[in-house]
Amino acid sequence: MEIKQEKSISSYDRGLLYGDGFFTTAHVQHGQILLWDLHLQRLRTCQQRLGFSQLDWQSLDKYCKDVCASTSQGVLKIVVTRGEGGRGYLPPEHATPTVIVQTSPYPAHYPALHDSGLRLQYAQTKLGHQPLLAGLKTLNRLEQVLIKQEAQQYDCDDVLVEDISGNVIEASVGNLIAMRGGKVYTPTLHNCGILGVYLQHLERNNHIQRVDMSRKDLQAMDALFVCNSLMGCIFVRSLGEQLFDLSLARKLKSQLESGVL
């Protein structure tokens, strides 16, 4: 395993040629990598399910903690590729993974969104099905690129995305959480979508049911939230023409983050 912090990468790297890799993005605060155990578990899961060579987790842990030690507020991104080699799509039998560690400033617009809530629209672009990759945060993110391009056409903060069967899956920036009558739900991710670190964090402290969701289901919800490891959990202000009770959404968000649901 080779750990790099520079911006360059070999033109023969399989991550560049085929998207043969995975990544995670973490919030750094006061020198600490928040939810670090879940980020490491995400990387391990991707490494195992994609058949990568074993990584030196102890070295990666120390390297990332050293890089972030002096950061008061920022972002840590870890990208793992299978490295170079192989014949076409077929990877080499003993590939040497490349690990790229990047740091960047924390997004400045997130605090304002926590106060105002998110305005959502539905995306027309649909997610395809591939159960073998469902839940993983791989480097193959062309669907999300198309979704982000589409979202620029709308007067909103983000878009909700459905799969090709019409099931609501996620927002472009994170997982969706819905609440009704004191019960908490999130879409199933059997065929597509990303299992986010912050969603897993909330699932450790709350009873969140993973269910199939449609547009009609969302119309009956008391509140909606979008979450990821950088912005945390943000309540939804509106979804298309549907408006939500903001005082109720703020109250439910507090309960969700306190782990009492």
Side-chain angles (χ1 to χ4, degrees):
M1 183 182 85
E2 182 182 7
I3 301 178
K4 300 181 178 181
Q5 204 175 359
E6 65 264 21
K7 297 180 180 179
S8 62
I9 187 170
S10 167
S11 60
Y12 295 99
D13 192 279
R14 295 182 61 86
L16 174 63
L17 294 176
Y18 309 117
D20 191 0
F22 50 91
F23 70 105
T24 196
T25 309
H27 184 184
V28 180
Q29 197 171 57
H30 306 304
Q32 301 296 313
I33 307 171
L34 304 186
L35 306 179
W36 184 224
D37 63 324
L38 289 174
H39 284 286
L40 284 175
Q41 182 56 52
R42 161 185 270 175
L43 295 175
R44 288 191 184 97
T45 298
C46 288
Q47 175 251 314
Q48 292 167 2
R49 284 179 55 183
L50 296 175
F52 272 51
S53 300
Q54 184 68 25
L55 302 179
D56 185 345
W57 299 109
Q58 186 173 359
S59 295
L60 179 62
D61 176 70
K62 182 179 185 305
Y63 187 91
C64 290
K65 288 178 177 177
D66 289 345
V67 166
C68 296
S70 60
T71 301
S72 59
Q73 181 90 300
V75 175
L76 170 72
K77 185 172 184 177
I78 303 166
V79 179
V80 182
T81 79
R82 205 181 297 265
E84 298 181 19
R87 183 177 178 84
Y89 290 134
L90 182 66
E93 185 175 352
H94 302 291
T96 302
T98 297
V99 179
I100 303 168
V101 177
Q102 301 173 332
T103 56
S104 59
Y106 186 76
H109 65 291
Y110 280 168
L113 288 177
H114 276 279
D115 293 332
S116 66
L118 292 166
R119 298 169 301 134
L120 300 182
Q121 296 284 352
Y122 281 104
Q124 297 301 310
T125 307
K126 310 297 183 184
L127 295 175
H129 288 180
Q130 178 43 273
L132 294 176
L133 300 177
L136 302 184
K137 198 160 188 179
T138 70
L139 296 182
N140 296 280
R141 301 262 67 89
L142 280 178
E143 286 179 320
Q144 282 68 35
V145 172
L146 294 175
I147 289 165
K148 277 296 190 183
Q149 288 177 327
E150 180 192 338
Q152 299 306 303
Q153 306 171 21
Y154 309 131
D155 181 21
C156 66
D157 301 304
D158 196 23
V159 291
L160 280 188
V161 188
E162 299 159 296
D163 67 6
I164 55 176
S165 297
N167 298 302
V168 176
I169 301 298
E170 60 195 3
S172 81
V173 297
N175 290 113
L176 177 68
I177 296 174
M179 296 182 62
R180 182 185 181 189
K183 295 185 178 180
V184 191
Y185 308 94
T186 192
T188 54
L189 305 174
H190 297 315
N191 295 310
C192 57
I194 297 173
L195 177 57
V197 161
Y198 203 82
L199 173 60
Q200 294 177 75
H201 163 66
L202 292 175
E203 287 180 322
R204 291 197 294 195
N205 303 309
N206 300 278
H207 178 60
I208 302 178
Q209 302 178 54
R210 298 187 186 183
V211 298
D212 292 338
M213 288 189 190
S214 66
R215 294 192 185 196
K216 185 177 180 180
D217 293 326
L218 295 189
Q219 291 174 357
M221 294 297 170
D222 298 326
L224 300 179
F225 307 89
V226 175
C227 65
N228 69 32
S229 60
L230 294 185
M231 69 184 189
C233 182
I234 298 182
F235 63 87
V236 174
R237 183 185 189 89
S238 63
L239 173 55
E241 300 300 319
Q242 182 179 3
L243 303 178
F244 292 93
D245 183 332
L246 299 188
S247 60
L248 177 61
R250 290 188 175 96
K251 176 184 177 181
L252 294 176
K253 173 188 171 184
S254 178
Q255 293 176 350
L256 186 63
E257 293 182 324
S258 298
V260 297
L261 297 170

